[in-house]
């Protein structure tokens, strides 16, 4: 039994893409992210806190090539990978998430063709905000940097079912 003091489990994500075939299980609460990693059950049963970022939106969690992406409780899109934790909204699209929405939003995400698609809306609060889909491209450009947040013709036609 896994218990959290003052936290509520929200989502789980599983990855098994490490070079040694280790399994990684991420547990997301409303306040933090925890990890269980290894290939033996004794190791997998040990939960360790890896980030002070949780989520309220379990459908925003998507795993791709050993990294987990999510809309955090602070309304920032985070990437959690073996290299660490990164806020990928910083200085790019943070205004799209932080100022537009209250806590009562819907968020759904998926990965397709190297891209993290996250759709958000105001959960029927009748605000002036229109639902939108944002796209983060994980491929590297010619300078070796990730493309980051991109325009996607397909994203404008996507409509998440909330």
């Amino acid at each position: 039994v896994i218990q959290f003091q003052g936290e509520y489990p929200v989502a789980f994500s599983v990855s098994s893409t490490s070079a040694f075939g280790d399994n990684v299980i991420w547990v997301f609460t409303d306040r933090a992210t925890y990890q269980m990693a290894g290939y033996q059950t004794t190791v997998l049963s040990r939960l360790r806190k890896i980030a002070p970022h949780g989520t309220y939106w379990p459908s925003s969690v998507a795993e791709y090539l050993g990294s987990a992406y999510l809309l955090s409780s602070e309304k920032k899109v985070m990437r959690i990978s073996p290299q660490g934790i990164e806020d990928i909204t910083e200085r790019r699209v943070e205004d799209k998430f932080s100022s537009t929405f209250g806590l009562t939003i819907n968020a759904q995400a998926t990965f397709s063709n190297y891209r993290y698609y996250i759709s958000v809306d105001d959960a029927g609060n009748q605000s002036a905000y229109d639902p939108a889909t944002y796209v983060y491209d994980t491929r590297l450009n010619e300078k070796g940097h990730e493309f980051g947040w991109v325009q996607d013709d397909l994203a404008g036609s996507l409509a998440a079912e909330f």
Side-chain angles (χ1 to χ4, degrees), residues 11-65:
F12 299 86
S13 184
V14 179
S15 174
S16 60
T17 59
S18 76
F20 302 108
D22 291 355
N23 294 306
V24 175
I25 300 170
W26 288 293
V27 180
F28 302 94
T29 70
D30 58 332
R31 297 183 185 175
T33 299
Y34 297 83
Q35 180 183 58
M36 296 180 280
Y39 59 91
Q40 297 175 329
T41 55
T42 55
V43 177
L44 278 173
S45 65
R46 295 188 197 120
L47 191 67
R48 68 183 182 94
K49 186 175 182 177
I50 61 167
H53 305 284
T55 186
Y56 297 124
W57 304 281
S59 295
S60 75
V61 176
E63 187 274 337
Y64 183 71
L65 293 178

Side-chain angles (χ1 to χ4, degrees), residues 69 79 86 88 91-92 114-115 136-150:
Y69 295 74
R79 175 178 41 210
E86 181 182 9
I88 59 174
R91 296 181 314 278
R92 295 172 186 94
Y114 309 99
R115 292 176 170 194
Y136 186 82
D137 194 325
T138 62
R139 292 176 294 181
L140 300 180
N141 64 21
E142 62 279 353
K143 294 181 182 177
H145 297 92
E146 286 186 355
F147 281 111
W149 296 98
V150 296

